[in-house]
Amino acid sequence: QVILVESGGGVVQAGDSLTLSCSMSGRSFTYNGMGWFRQAPGKGRELVATISWNGDRSEYADSVKGRFTISRNNAENTLYLQMRSLEPEDTAVYYCAASQYSSITMYEYQYTSWGQGTQVTVSS
């Protein structure tokens, strides 16, 4: 059984930093592109960042460029999202997901495995 488990969410103040982790089990995700998505209250789910299987390429939503960094440790089957200078607009449930492709993957329908999400709340 494939399992993705996010952790590291919480309540922080604007300007703070937070690092999310996604632990992957059930099989190796070494050759899968990975992504972080988020869903704010009343809004659809959006791609935050995506990374290729070996970490040599990544892409970010314009709203988080320069503030968020996606990374992965394939030896530990773990995906990370470092978030800095957090803003109230970053408040959302954050999900990690595994792509059916090895490259960076931009579209939600191309992801085949999902975690349950972790809540991030940024107060002003």
Side-chain angles (χ1 to χ4, degrees), residues 3-51:
I3 299 175
L4 304 180
V5 179
E6 302 92 339
S7 62
V11 180
V12 297
Q13 293 191 334
D16 284 352
S17 300
L18 206 57
T19 297
L20 305 183
S21 300
C22 174
S23 175
M24 302 173 275
S25 61
R27 66 170 177 85
S28 172
F29 288 87
T30 299
Y31 298 107
N32 291 87
M34 299 292 297
W36 284 100
F37 288 78
R38 68 185 181 187
Q39 186 166 20
K43 296 187 177 181
R45 192 154 56 184
E46 63 171 350
L47 178 70
V48 174
T50 176
I51 189 168

Side-chain angles (χ1 to χ4, degrees), residues 36-102:
W36 284 100
F37 288 78
R38 68 185 181 187
Q39 186 166 20
K43 296 187 177 181
R45 192 154 56 184
E46 63 171 350
L47 178 70
V48 174
T50 176
I51 189 168
S52 59
W53 73 276
N54 62 354
D56 69 339
R57 286 197 65 194
S58 58
E59 288 289 343
Y60 298 88
D62 288 343
S63 59
V64 306
K65 280 181 182 177
R67 300 189 298 121
F68 290 13
T69 302
I70 188 172
S71 62
R72 63 190 298 166
N73 184 328
N74 286 341
E76 297 185 354
N77 239 13
T78 305
L79 178 73
Y80 301 98
L81 184 68
Q82 293 177 285
M83 304 185 293
R84 300 180 297 274
S85 301
L86 283 161
E87 304 168 352
E89 293 73 22
D90 296 317
T91 294
V93 178
Y94 284 72
Y95 301 88
C96 66
S99 167
Q100 60 182 302
Y101 303 114
S102 60

